[in-house]
Amino acid sequence: MTIHTILFTIVFNYLSLLLRCAVKINIINPNTSANMTRQIKQAAQQWAQTTTDIRCVSPDAGTPSVETCQDEAIAAIGVMEQIRAGDHAGADAHIVACFGDPGLDAARELASVPVLGIAQAAFQTAQMLASRFAVITTVPKATTFTRHLLRKYGADAQCAGVWAVNMPVLALEEDTEHTFQTLRTQALICIDKEDVDAVVLGCAGMTDLADRLAQDLGIPVIDGVSVAVGMAEMLVQRRLRTSTRGIYAPVAPKPYSGWSAPLAG
Amino acid sequence: MTIHTILFTIVFNYLSLLLRCAVKINIINPNTSANMTRQIKQAAQQWAQTTTDIRCVSPDAGTPSVETCQDEAIAAIGVMEQIRAGDHAGADAHIVACFGDPGLDAARELASVPVLGIAQAAFQTAQMLASRFAVITTVPKATTFTRHLLRKYGADAQCAGVWAVNMPVLALEEDTEHTFQTLRTQALICIDKEDVDAVVLGCAGMTDLADRLAQDLGIPVIDGVSVAVGMAEMLVQRRLRTSTRGIYAPVAPKPYSGWSAPLAG
Amino acid sequence: MTIHTILFTIVFNYLSLLLRCAVKINIINPNTSANMTRQIKQAAQQWAQTTTDIRCVSPDAGTPSVETCQDEAIAAIGVMEQIRAGDHAGADAHIVACFGDPGLDAARELASVPVLGIAQAAFQTAQMLASRFAVITTVPKATTFTRHLLRKYGADAQCAGVWAVNMPVLALEEDTEHTFQTLRTQALICIDKEDVDAVVLGCAGMTDLADRLAQDLGIPVIDGVSVAVGMAEMLVQRRLRTSTRGIYAPVAPKPYSGWSAPLAG
Amino acid sequence: MTIHTILFTIVFNYLSLLLRCAVKINIINPNTSANMTRQIKQAAQQWAQTTTDIRCVSPDAGTPSVETCQDEAIAAIGVMEQIRAGDHAGADAHIVACFGDPGLDAARELASVPVLGIAQAAFQTAQMLASRFAVITTVPKATTFTRHLLRKYGADAQCAGVWAVNMPVLALEEDTEHTFQTLRTQALICIDKEDVDAVVLGCAGMTDLADRLAQDLGIPVIDGVSVAVGMAEMLVQRRLRTSTRGIYAPVAPKPYSGWSAPLAG
Amino acid sequence: MTIHTILFTIVFNYLSLLLRCAVKINIINPNTSANMTRQIKQAAQQWAQTTTDIRCVSPDAGTPSVETCQDEAIAAIGVMEQIRAGDHAGADAHIVACFGDPGLDAARELASVPVLGIAQAAFQTAQMLASRFAVITTVPKATTFTRHLLRKYGADAQCAGVWAVNMPVLALEEDTEHTFQTLRTQALICIDKEDVDAVVLGCAGMTDLADRLAQDLGIPVIDGVSVAVGMAEMLVQRRLRTSTRGIYAPVAPKPYSGWSAPLAG
Amino acid sequence: MTIHTILFTIVFNYLSLLLRCAVKINIINPNTSANMTRQIKQAAQQWAQTTTDIRCVSPDAGTPSVETCQDEAIAAIGVMEQIRAGDHAGADAHIVACFGDPGLDAARELASVPVLGIAQAAFQTAQMLASRFAVITTVPKATTFTRHLLRKYGADAQCAGVWAVNMPVLALEEDTEHTFQTLRTQALICIDKEDVDAVVLGCAGMTDLADRLAQDLGIPVIDGVSVAVGMAEMLVQRRLRTSTRGIYAPVAPKPYSGWSAPLAG
């Protein structure tokens, strides 16, 4: 066999690998912060398979951060818009990259491909790696959202509690070192007093600190963006999709009016 | 005492009664169906205290009915708009008059006065009157929403189940007699096979049939609109308001952009 | 139109209002403390609709306060006696005004009209206004009763805990100022350490302090007597009654003997 | 060793055995049916240890059977009277022999020795012997009581359901053969359709049929009276008593009045 | 009647008593520590009925103590071996005498007679005597096992928590006084801070301290070995056996191979 | 840029891709059936990433299939043996490929890398794709195991039920067409009567039918082996490992004796 044949084989395999495995993931940052979108994209790309194509978007309009009940409702609309856009762009899976999983049910109903929420993905990962995890999040209100999600997803029995570090979402990236130290301090308290054996980071804006925290603390620190990307690849490569029956069954377009007309399909 | 004194006393009492008890309730039909808004208003006025002022509104834009996850997300925005409008109009309480209680958490955070959801009000009433109630709703998807709400509100242990009669929301009012017979048939099955002792009607569009069904079946049939009005009057007259701490604490206005700018306060 | 016609219209409307809305509520203080019965009546009248007729009674015989398991069992009998008496007196609704809701199931089975328990009414109100409430009660034993009720009524997931201030029921009214300060101190601890956003007062003897505590603490403080009156009015005005099927179905009189013969109907 | 020494040793051992093991159990049938009291005593004696002294009593006054919520409340008072009487008579343990466990909490607070309820004892036994048991009871109302108890005791997850055979309690003993066939038919349905692997008999009046049913069905059939006696012997012989802290802590006598004065200690 | 007749009657009764009541209990210490087996046997004999025959065994091979997940898995095999051996030796009941109840489900499937776990027996006893118990165990890992068991058995709602004293199992018996003081200190903290009203000892190696602790603390202190013996006697004397349907149904022998061949029946 | 440079770049990328992504997964079939091991390996390889190296093993000794409680206990030992062997062989992750997840806790404690159970992985996948799934398994006993796992993992609220098709594990592969039709018939019943929107296959022996069933039924059909492989790749590529604190913390070797000595590390 000549060198040319060998090289040809390698190239051929490489290309077919690309074709077979290539997964287009549409990651939706439901707020309008371009900084956070960038950071989420970085985190996603760092851990994605080489052949995965990460598209990271945020709605043109909406809320600059998701910290309140009103923000959640507005973010859900942004998610719906971007699900539709991502579907048109040929996405193989979508990820809602905000820890409250805003609009996740609507997104699953709307999309023709799987949709993952980073909170659900992070809880599931924690359930595989540990027996009693803590969630560390930003603002106090987010602790109540998170408790609702833990119960909805059935992860409450393995969760020791939810703690807020009292930093607004957009402040997280202002002084990364300060953010790191704040998260670390809270995590050490949870380990010491609550006997937790893993930490879930409760905000997409903490994505870039997960690895460093894990090294520092010596226990798993789970960032939902990173694991949701892996789970999305897994589902797509197995051709698994959201059920077309039940609450996620697709629906006929409705004559939505006014501001919501673009959502009418 | 002369006749004039007596009459004066009566008039004075009557006026002070009006002043003391008068409650302005802002009922929000989260869909854009004017027919349903009218029907909800009628049901609300039928059972409200004489001195209560019922304002029944629906968003200018949005979805004609709430039957899907996407409808729920869109309806939540309409609720937020009308909470704001109702607050400006001096409402003493708001009612979200759609059985999925869309946008209820955001509404409570936003409003300066109490906000009730008709599903929560109906479940609570059933819990006071019966030990094992059925929910009868419209479309199959609504059964899953309802199960989520039952768990969230802690009413699941007393609920025998949720049944859909497979009628779209807007079809309910087309042939009232047919709707009545369909609900009655389902209720009789629930009584016979599931041993239920009360029925909760799982759609604001069934409001006008509750009384007739109750007479016919001989057990409590609960319409959320009617009881939410009474609970709202109760809260207002006791000056009880949504907590200003925790998840419902008021928040500073945020620079919402684009379509959501009007929601920014 | 003459002044006479106007006056006549007003009088006529006023009287018809009285006829249409007038609700006779039979409030049962299950202990024999006349002082507490008086205080409960005051609280009830303060918040009731003008046309509501409050009858507040307590059994002739029984226990001077309800603080133990034995007291609960004895109080239940007193409740049954007074339900029967109230039914004969034409009550439109009954309220069991003791935080353990003693005899509530028997009362609902016995009465031909709705029966409310102040614990259930208070929990439901808290669930509408807050997301994480505390119950503050009298003696340590009452915390266990209360936990049972929270689970039975499905309110446990929204309750942060139950705390006792270690004051016997009858001591509450001896030094109102001291009682107020004690409740306030405990409430502040719950707000600070447990992050609660509402307080439920766990004893009918604390009724008169709810409003002042709410003003002081800045969060909802819920007294079951006050809200149960409003819920009773609501049910009566909608002609909603306890189910006649299931556990509350009426039963044929039984030949009860001895001390219990008067309960035999 | 002579024959006399041997005989002496045997007699001595026998007597000391009697002294060491002798347990006086006060079984309280909370209704006034003498027939049922007799039947309960027989069942208890059949399975008790030889040295156990069974005292089976019922209150002088009260209800002839426990089938309604009102019956439950009245029965609780009878239980309290007989706990007191049994304590004076030197009982080592008490058993509340009615499947709703009426007055059990009050009894535990009152007694200086352990108190067992036959429902709790039966559920615990089922949990040791099977993984999915059925409860078969008398009247439909009893199914709701039983569901409350299953949740209170934490046995609900292992219970496949509760079924009523629609026989009043006092009819059970009228035609034993008919009762047996009715229970057997219901049990066979539960085995076939609900895949149960044990049956708990939900009434003290079914006590004498447990053994025959077990033989016939080939699975455990548990009668609460029989197993409660064994558990009572176990507790007494280990000197284990109800806690003197918490909800069962003994309380100072209170000036109960009127009909309840005899309960005041 | 002569003295001979009297003596004969006594002897006859004594022997028939022995025949009727004699219960052979096979207690399996699933670890290989002979010391602990001895100690368990002593505790069991101390509280067993005079006519009960206690056989206390441990597997020839396996783990010296059960403190880890791997120990649990290995211990389960030892339990299966000794169930088989005990069945051949004619045991009337088996007890798995390790607080994690290792291999209990397999043992129930395998044995022809009842099998009790000391954790389940201890929890059930606590549920009869108290309303809020603590479990005090050895090593931190055991707290997680115990929480699983509490949920599986439905005892979690009555348990205030699980605490580890950080002593390896085999260290418990090295310095009994130190062990006693350590357990006592932890129990006092639980009573003071967590308001518990009973203590369950979470290790078969603490068996000999239960009585002394109970005396010292003044609340029930429950040792699973002691109560499991009593419950086993109760079941055997009532001829109650594990269900032969459902998960515990007996199975045909399987060709287990290699090290597991002896388990193949 | 010459053709050589381009080719070199491609080759270099390809190799570095291999190095970076290559994941060695040790799949443990806990029974000794070589056929099933082969089938599991095929299923795993079909869906694994190209660079993933699948090692599929089964214990030398143990049980030919896992259908009973005893089989589960024996299988757990086989899992421990193969975890150790796989760790020595440099595995990056382990999968326990039997639907009861036998020995999973011990495996996580033992392994230095993540361990997945196919039941947990399948439930998690179903929770992402559907709202009400059915589990279809082999023998009736397996339904009880599965219910335990659903509760342990917090997936019970989303599971409509567990159904057995009454086929022994080893019969599944005898007549694949018959197995397919049996599973299909059961799935159609679950869809029709129980309104499920996804199916989880409850046995590693059904692995090869998942895809065909999904095509036929039109809803997600989830095979735990396939998705566990993807989740394992995801965890490894993110360097996420089982927690080294809590119940899974590594432990010092213990002197296991006899048959268990090889497990002593």
Side-chain angles (χ1 to χ4, degrees):
Chain A
M1 199 158 64
T2 67
I3 179 71
H4 282 96
T5 322
I6 290 168
L7 283 174
F8 176 80
T9 310
I10 289 172
V11 172
F12 180 83
N13 279 344
Y14 184 55
L15 292 175
S16 64
L17 173 74
L18 281 174
L19 285 173
R20 200 154 65 98
C21 300
V23 176
K24 285 192 213 166
I25 300 181
N26 184 43
I27 304 183
I28 303 169
N29 169 19
N31 69 39
T32 57
S33 155
N35 258 0
M36 198 177 297
T37 309
R38 210 172 306 123
Q39 188 185 324
I40 291 169
K41 185 168 191 180
Q42 268 178 1
Q45 282 177 326
Q46 179 181 6
W47 299 113
Q49 296 175 19
T50 316
T51 53
T52 293
D53 177 20
I54 300 287
R55 179 177 180 264
C56 196
V57 297
S58 63
D60 294 336
T63 176
S65 62
V66 181
E67 293 159 319
T68 70
C69 301
Q70 297 167 70
D71 294 347
E72 290 271 336
I74 288 169
I77 302 297
V79 167
M80 285 166 66
E81 284 172 8
Q82 294 302 318
I83 290 282
R84 197 174 291 279
D87 253 21
H88 288 170
D92 293 313
H94 306 272
I95 292 172
V96 178
C98 170
F99 203 75
D101 290 356
L104 184 57
D105 283 335
R108 283 180 177 160
E109 180 184 76
L110 181 58
S112 57
V113 296
V115 187
L116 292 94
I118 64 169
Q120 188 174 40
F123 296 155
Q124 290 189 344
T125 305
Q127 287 178 306
M128 285 189 279
L129 298 177
S131 67
R132 189 170 161 80
F133 64 87
V135 182
I136 302 185
T137 185
T138 53
V139 292
K141 284 202 174 200
T143 61
T144 314
F145 299 153
T146 304
R147 276 191 217 107
H148 283 175
L149 289 180
L150 285 162
R151 288 186 71 204
K152 185 175 176 187
Y153 298 149
D156 46 338
Q158 279 178 261
C159 180
V162 187
W163 286 267
V165 290
N166 274 312
M167 296 179 79
V169 169
L170 298 181
L172 292 175
E173 49 194 82
E174 275 167 23
D175 180 349
T176 308
E177 189 55 31
H178 177 238
T179 303
F180 175 79
Q181 292 304 336
T182 308
L183 293 176
R184 184 177 172 273
T185 304
Q186 182 60 61
L188 287 173
I189 293 171
C190 292
I191 290 169
D192 187 43
K193 302 257 191 252
E194 303 288 336
D195 221 30
V196 309
D197 51 7
V199 168
V200 167
L201 295 183
C203 179
M206 299 169 175
T207 284
D208 51 341
L209 297 171
D211 219 38
R212 187 174 160 204
L213 271 168
Q215 308 270 324
D216 186 277
L217 299 169
I219 59 171
V221 176
I222 296 153
D223 159 49
V225 174
S226 158
V227 295
V229 167
M231 288 187 174
E233 292 168 339
M234 181 273 280
L235 293 175
V236 171
Q237 285 161 356
R238 276 144 193 82
R239 297 199 293 263
L240 285 166
R241 295 188 162 204
T242 306
S243 182
T244 52
R245 283 180 56 88
I247 193 175
Y248 301 138
V251 290
K254 262 193 183 174
Y256 294 152
S257 57
W259 65 269
S260 63
L263 301 168
Chain B
M1 201 160 60
T2 67
I3 180 73
H4 282 95
T5 322
I6 292 170
L7 284 173
F8 177 80
T9 311
I10 289 173
V11 172
F12 180 83
N13 279 345
Y14 186 56
L15 292 175
S16 65
L17 173 75
L18 283 173
L19 285 173
R20 202 155 62 99
C21 299
V23 176
K24 284 192 214 166
I25 300 180
N26 184 43
I27 303 183
I28 303 169
N29 170 18
N31 69 40
T32 56
S33 155
N35 257 1
M36 198 177 295
T37 310
R38 211 173 305 124
Q39 188 186 324
I40 290 168
K41 186 168 191 180
Q42 268 178 1
Q45 282 177 326
Q46 179 181 4
W47 300 112
Q49 296 175 18
T50 316
T51 53
T52 293
D53 178 20
I54 299 288
R55 179 176 181 267
C56 196
V57 297
S58 62
D60 293 337
T63 176
S65 62
V66 181
E67 293 159 318
T68 70
C69 300
Q70 297 167 70
D71 295 346
E72 290 271 335
I74 288 170
I77 302 299
V79 167
M80 285 167 66
E81 284 173 8
Q82 293 302 319
I83 289 283
R84 197 173 291 279
D87 252 20
H88 287 171
D92 293 312
H94 305 273
I95 292 172
V96 178
C98 171
F99 202 75
D101 291 355
L104 184 57
D105 283 334
R108 284 180 176 160
E109 180 183 75
L110 181 57
S112 56
V113 296
V115 188
L116 293 95
I118 64 170
Q120 188 175 40
F123 296 156
Q124 290 189 344
T125 305
Q127 286 178 305
M128 286 189 278
L129 299 176
S131 67
R132 189 171 160 81
F133 64 87
V135 182
I136 303 185
T137 186
T138 52
V139 292
K141 283 200 174 201
T143 60
T144 314
F145 298 154
T146 304
R147 276 191 216 105
H148 283 174
L149 289 181
L150 285 162
R151 289 185 70 204
K152 185 176 176 187
Y153 297 149
D156 46 338
Q158 279 178 261
C159 180
V162 187
W163 286 268
V165 292
N166 274 312
M167 295 179 78
V169 169
L170 297 181
L172 291 175
E173 47 193 85
E174 276 168 21
D175 180 350
T176 308
E177 189 55 32
H178 177 238
T179 303
F180 175 79
Q181 292 305 336
T182 308
L183 294 175
R184 184 176 172 273
T185 304
Q186 181 61 60
L188 288 173
I189 293 172
C190 291
I191 290 170
D192 187 43
K193 303 255 191 252
E194 302 288 335
D195 221 29
V196 310
D197 51 9
V199 168
V200 167
L201 295 183
C203 179
M206 298 169 175
T207 284
D208 52 341
L209 297 172
D211 218 38
R212 186 173 161 204
L213 271 168
Q215 307 271 325
D216 187 276
L217 299 169
I219 59 171
V221 175
I222 296 154
D223 160 48
V225 174
S226 158
V227 296
V229 168
M231 289 187 172
E233 292 168 338
M234 182 274 281
L235 293 175
V236 172
Q237 284 161 356
R238 277 146 193 80
R239 297 199 292 263
L240 285 165
R241 295 188 162 205
T242 305
S243 181
T244 53
R245 283 180 55 88
I247 193 174
Y248 300 138
V251 291
K254 261 192 185 175
Y256 294 152
S257 57
W259 65 269
S260 63
L263 300 169
Chain C
M1 200 156 64
T2 67
I3 179 73
H4 281 95
T5 322
I6 291 169
L7 283 173
F8 176 80
T9 310
I10 289 172
V11 173
F12 180 83
N13 279 344
Y14 185 56
L15 291 176
S16 64
L17 174 75
L18 282 174
L19 285 173
R20 201 153 64 99
C21 298
V23 175
K24 284 192 214 164
I25 299 180
N26 183 44
I27 304 183
I28 303 168
N29 170 19
N31 69 39
T32 57
S33 156
N35 256 2
M36 198 177 295
T37 310
R38 209 172 307 123
Q39 188 185 324
I40 291 169
K41 186 168 192 180
Q42 267 178 0
Q45 282 176 326
Q46 178 182 5
W47 300 113
Q49 297 175 17
T50 316
T51 53
T52 293
D53 178 20
I54 299 287
R55 179 177 182 264
C56 196
V57 298
S58 62
D60 293 337
T63 176
S65 63
V66 180
E67 292 159 319
T68 70
C69 301
Q70 297 166 70
D71 295 346
E72 290 270 336
I74 289 169
I77 303 298
V79 167
M80 285 165 66
E81 284 173 7
Q82 293 302 319
I83 289 282
R84 197 174 292 278
D87 252 21
H88 288 171
D92 293 314
H94 306 273
I95 292 172
V96 178
C98 171
F99 203 75
D101 291 355
L104 184 57
D105 283 335
R108 284 179 177 161
E109 180 183 75
L110 181 57
S112 57
V113 296
V115 188
L116 293 93
I118 64 169
Q120 188 174 38
F123 296 155
Q124 290 189 344
T125 305
Q127 286 178 306
M128 285 190 278
L129 299 177
S131 67
R132 190 170 160 80
F133 65 87
V135 182
I136 303 184
T137 186
T138 53
V139 292
K141 283 202 175 201
T143 60
T144 315
F145 299 155
T146 303
R147 276 192 216 106
H148 283 175
L149 290 180
L150 284 162
R151 287 186 71 206
K152 185 176 177 187
Y153 298 149
D156 46 339
Q158 279 178 260
C159 181
V162 188
W163 286 268
V165 292
N166 274 312
M167 297 179 77
V169 169
L170 298 181
L172 292 175
E173 49 193 82
E174 276 168 22
D175 180 349
T176 306
E177 190 55 31
H178 177 238
T179 304
F180 175 79
Q181 293 304 335
T182 309
L183 294 175
R184 183 175 174 274
T185 306
Q186 181 60 60
L188 287 172
I189 293 171
C190 292
I191 290 169
D192 188 43
K193 302 258 193 249
E194 302 289 334
D195 220 31
V196 309
D197 51 8
V199 167
V200 167
L201 296 183
C203 179
M206 299 170 176
T207 284
D208 52 341
L209 296 172
D211 218 37
R212 187 173 160 205
L213 270 168
Q215 307 270 325
D216 187 276
L217 299 168
I219 58 170
V221 175
I222 296 154
D223 159 48
V225 174
S226 158
V227 295
V229 167
M231 288 186 173
E233 292 168 338
M234 181 274 280
L235 293 175
V236 172
Q237 285 162 355
R238 277 144 194 81
R239 297 201 291 264
L240 286 166
R241 295 187 161 206
T242 306
S243 182
T244 52
R245 283 180 56 89
I247 193 175
Y248 300 138
V251 290
K254 263 195 184 173
Y256 294 152
S257 58
W259 65 270
S260 63
L263 300 168
Chain D
M1 201 159 64
T2 67
I3 180 72
H4 283 94
T5 323
I6 291 169
L7 282 174
F8 176 80
T9 311
I10 289 173
V11 171
F12 180 82
N13 279 346
Y14 185 56
L15 292 175
S16 64
L17 173 76
L18 282 173
L19 285 173
R20 200 154 64 99
C21 298
V23 176
K24 284 193 214 164
I25 299 180
N26 183 44
I27 303 182
I28 304 169
N29 170 19
N31 70 39
T32 56
S33 155
N35 256 1
M36 198 178 295
T37 311
R38 210 172 307 123
Q39 188 185 325
I40 291 169
K41 185 167 191 181
Q42 267 179 1
Q45 282 177 326
Q46 178 181 5
W47 300 112
Q49 296 175 18
T50 316
T51 54
T52 293
D53 177 20
I54 299 287
R55 180 178 181 264
C56 196
V57 298
S58 62
D60 293 337
T63 176
S65 62
V66 181
E67 292 158 319
T68 71
C69 301
Q70 297 167 70
D71 295 347
E72 291 270 336
I74 288 170
I77 303 299
V79 166
M80 285 167 64
E81 284 173 7
Q82 293 303 318
I83 289 283
R84 197 173 292 278
D87 253 20
H88 288 172
D92 294 313
H94 305 273
I95 292 171
V96 178
C98 170
F99 203 75
D101 290 355
L104 184 57
D105 283 334
R108 284 180 176 160
E109 180 184 75
L110 182 57
S112 57
V113 296
V115 188
L116 293 94
I118 63 169
Q120 188 174 40
F123 296 155
Q124 290 189 343
T125 305
Q127 287 178 305
M128 284 189 279
L129 299 176
S131 66
R132 189 171 161 80
F133 64 87
V135 181
I136 302 184
T137 186
T138 52
V139 291
K141 283 202 176 202
T143 60
T144 315
F145 299 154
T146 304
R147 275 190 217 107
H148 283 175
L149 291 180
L150 285 162
R151 288 186 71 204
K152 186 175 175 188
Y153 297 149
D156 46 338
Q158 278 178 262
C159 181
V162 187
W163 286 268
V165 291
N166 275 311
M167 295 179 79
V169 169
L170 298 181
L172 291 175
E173 46 193 83
E174 276 169 22
D175 180 348
T176 307
E177 188 57 30
H178 176 238
T179 303
F180 175 79
Q181 292 304 336
T182 308
L183 294 175
R184 183 176 173 274
T185 304
Q186 181 61 60
L188 288 173
I189 293 171
C190 292
I191 291 170
D192 188 43
K193 302 257 192 250
E194 303 288 335
D195 221 30
V196 309
D197 51 8
V199 168
V200 167
L201 295 183
C203 180
M206 298 170 175
T207 285
D208 52 340
L209 297 172
D211 218 37
R212 187 172 161 206
L213 270 168
Q215 308 271 324
D216 187 277
L217 299 168
I219 59 171
V221 175
I222 297 153
D223 160 48
V225 174
S226 158
V227 295
V229 167
M231 288 187 173
E233 293 168 338
M234 182 274 281
L235 294 175
V236 172
Q237 284 161 357
R238 277 145 194 79
R239 296 201 290 265
L240 286 165
R241 294 189 162 205
T242 306
S243 182
T244 53
R245 283 180 56 89
I247 193 174
Y248 301 138
V251 291
K254 263 193 183 173
Y256 294 151
S257 57
W259 64 269
S260 64
L263 301 168
Chain E
M1 201 158 63
T2 66
I3 179 72
H4 283 94
T5 322
I6 291 168
L7 283 173
F8 177 80
T9 310
I10 288 171
V11 172
F12 181 82
N13 279 344
Y14 185 56
L15 292 175
S16 64
L17 173 75
L18 282 173
L19 285 174
R20 201 155 62 102
C21 299
V23 176
K24 285 193 213 163
I25 300 181
N26 182 43
I27 303 183
I28 303 168
N29 169 18
N31 70 39
T32 57
S33 156
N35 257 0
M36 197 178 295
T37 309
R38 211 172 306 123
Q39 188 186 323
I40 291 169
K41 185 168 191 180
Q42 267 178 1
Q45 282 176 326
Q46 178 182 4
W47 300 112
Q49 296 174 19
T50 316
T51 53
T52 293
D53 177 20
I54 300 288
R55 178 176 181 266
C56 196
V57 297
S58 62
D60 293 337
T63 176
S65 62
V66 180
E67 293 159 318
T68 71
C69 301
Q70 297 167 69
D71 294 347
E72 290 271 336
I74 288 169
I77 303 297
V79 167
M80 285 166 65
E81 285 173 7
Q82 293 303 319
I83 289 283
R84 196 174 293 280
D87 252 20
H88 287 171
D92 294 312
H94 306 273
I95 292 172
V96 178
C98 171
F99 202 74
D101 291 355
L104 184 57
D105 283 334
R108 284 180 176 160
E109 180 183 76
L110 180 57
S112 56
V113 297
V115 187
L116 292 94
I118 64 169
Q120 188 174 40
F123 296 156
Q124 290 189 344
T125 304
Q127 287 178 305
M128 285 190 279
L129 299 177
S131 67
R132 188 170 162 81
F133 64 87
V135 182
I136 303 183
T137 186
T138 53
V139 292
K141 284 200 175 202
T143 61
T144 314
F145 298 154
T146 304
R147 276 191 217 106
H148 283 175
L149 290 181
L150 285 162
R151 288 185 71 204
K152 186 176 175 186
Y153 297 149
D156 46 340
Q158 278 177 262
C159 180
V162 187
W163 286 268
V165 292
N166 275 312
M167 296 179 78
V169 169
L170 298 181
L172 292 175
E173 50 193 82
E174 275 168 23
D175 179 349
T176 307
E177 189 55 30
H178 178 238
T179 304
F180 175 79
Q181 292 304 336
T182 308
L183 292 176
R184 183 177 173 273
T185 305
Q186 182 60 60
L188 287 173
I189 293 172
C190 292
I191 290 170
D192 187 43
K193 303 257 192 247
E194 303 288 335
D195 220 29
V196 310
D197 51 8
V199 168
V200 167
L201 295 183
C203 179
M206 299 169 175
T207 284
D208 52 340
L209 296 171
D211 218 36
R212 187 173 160 205
L213 270 168
Q215 308 270 324
D216 186 277
L217 299 169
I219 59 170
V221 175
I222 297 154
D223 159 48
V225 174
S226 158
V227 296
V229 168
M231 288 187 174
E233 292 168 339
M234 182 273 281
L235 293 175
V236 172
Q237 286 160 355
R238 278 145 193 81
R239 295 200 292 264
L240 285 165
R241 294 188 162 205
T242 306
S243 181
T244 53
R245 285 180 55 89
I247 194 174
Y248 300 138
V251 291
K254 263 192 184 175
Y256 294 152
S257 58
W259 64 270
S260 64
L263 302 168
Chain F
M1 201 159 62
T2 66
I3 179 74
H4 282 96
T5 321
I6 291 168
L7 283 174
F8 176 80
T9 311
I10 289 172
V11 172
F12 180 82
N13 279 343
Y14 185 57
L15 292 175
S16 64
L17 172 75
L18 282 174
L19 285 173
R20 201 156 62 99
C21 299
V23 176
K24 284 194 212 164
I25 300 180
N26 184 43
I27 304 182
I28 304 169
N29 169 20
N31 69 40
T32 56
S33 155
N35 256 0
M36 197 176 296
T37 310
R38 211 173 305 124
Q39 188 186 324
I40 291 169
K41 185 166 192 181
Q42 268 178 1
Q45 282 178 325
Q46 179 182 6
W47 300 112
Q49 295 175 19
T50 316
T51 54
T52 293
D53 178 20
I54 299 288
R55 179 177 181 264
C56 196
V57 298
S58 62
D60 293 338
T63 176
S65 62
V66 181
E67 293 159 318
T68 71
C69 301
Q70 297 167 71
D71 294 347
E72 291 271 336
I74 288 169
I77 302 298
V79 167
M80 285 167 66
E81 285 173 6
Q82 293 302 319
I83 289 282
R84 196 174 293 277
D87 253 21
H88 288 171
D92 294 312
H94 305 273
I95 292 172
V96 178
C98 170
F99 203 75
D101 290 356
L104 184 57
D105 282 335
R108 283 180 177 159
E109 180 183 75
L110 181 57
S112 57
V113 296
V115 187
L116 292 95
I118 63 168
Q120 188 174 40
F123 296 155
Q124 291 189 343
T125 304
Q127 287 178 305
M128 285 190 278
L129 299 176
S131 67
R132 188 170 162 80
F133 64 86
V135 182
I136 303 185
T137 186
T138 52
V139 292
K141 284 202 175 201
T143 62
T144 314
F145 298 154
T146 303
R147 276 191 217 107
H148 283 175
L149 290 181
L150 285 162
R151 288 185 71 203
K152 185 175 177 189
Y153 298 149
D156 45 340
Q158 279 179 260
C159 181
V162 187
W163 286 268
V165 292
N166 276 312
M167 296 178 78
V169 169
L170 298 181
L172 292 174
E173 47 192 83
E174 275 168 22
D175 179 350
T176 308
E177 189 55 31
H178 177 239
T179 304
F180 175 79
Q181 293 304 336
T182 308
L183 293 175
R184 185 177 171 273
T185 303
Q186 181 61 61
L188 287 174
I189 293 171
C190 291
I191 290 170
D192 187 43
K193 302 255 192 254
E194 303 288 334
D195 220 31
V196 309
D197 51 7
V199 168
V200 167
L201 295 183
C203 179
M206 298 170 175
T207 284
D208 51 340
L209 296 172
D211 218 37
R212 187 174 160 205
L213 270 168
Q215 307 269 326
D216 186 277
L217 298 169
I219 58 171
V221 176
I222 297 154
D223 159 48
V225 174
S226 158
V227 295
V229 167
M231 288 186 173
E233 291 168 339
M234 181 274 281
L235 294 175
V236 172
Q237 285 161 355
R238 277 144 193 81
R239 296 200 292 262
L240 286 165
R241 294 188 163 205
T242 306
S243 182
T244 53
R245 285 181 53 90
I247 194 175
Y248 301 137
V251 291
K254 263 193 182 173
Y256 295 151
S257 58
W259 64 270
S260 63
L263 301 169

